[in-house]
Structures are given as C-alpha cells and as structure tokens.
Amino acid sequence: MEIRTIIFYVALLAIAGTVVELYVRINGIGRRSEKVRGVVVPEKPKLGAPILFLIATIIVAVMTIPK
C-alpha cells in the first residue's frame, strides 16, 4: 500500500473523529453542569480547536486523494 493512501485514510478517520467531537461538545454530552444557588449556569462550548483540526484534516485529505 502506498504511503499517500495510508495518509488519506488516516485523515478520513480523523475527520470522522472530529465531527463526533464537535457533536458531543455542541450537545453538551458528558459535561458537568455548574450550579449557582440551584440554577444551572450554561457554558458556551469551546469549538475553536476542533474546527481548526477539522479544516486541517480536510486539507490533508484533499491533498492526498489516491489516484
């Protein structure tokens, strides 16, 4: 198997993992809720790092499409 093909499939796997990570962060699955006097204080999810990683992996996947 060619190295270019391996990099392409690893990039596809990373894209899938990043999409799942974004889904989990947006929906707040597994997040601990903070309460102040019995009222839940909502936190904005931090999406910057996963979005940048998603863009980078898409670029890598496009550059290494097997021929």
Side-chain angles (χ1 to χ4, degrees):
M1 191 182 269
E2 195 175 317
I3 189 74
R4 187 176 179 129
T5 307
I6 295 170
I7 293 172
F8 175 73
Y9 286 121
V10 169
L12 287 182
L13 184 64
I15 289 171
T18 306
V19 169
V20 170
E21 177 70 23
L22 284 171
Y23 176 79
V24 166
R25 286 189 184 203
I26 289 172
N27 289 328
I29 299 171
R31 181 178 50 176
R32 294 183 185 174
S33 58
E34 183 179 341
K35 290 186 179 182
V36 175
R37 295 183 184 173
V39 179
V40 176
V41 178
E43 282 186 28
K44 291 184 180 179
K46 297 178 182 177
L47 303 176
I51 290 176
L52 289 176
F53 186 68
L54 179 64
I55 292 169
T57 54
I58 289 172
I59 291 170
V60 169
V62 168
M63 291 174 59
T64 60
I65 293 176
K67 294 180 180 180

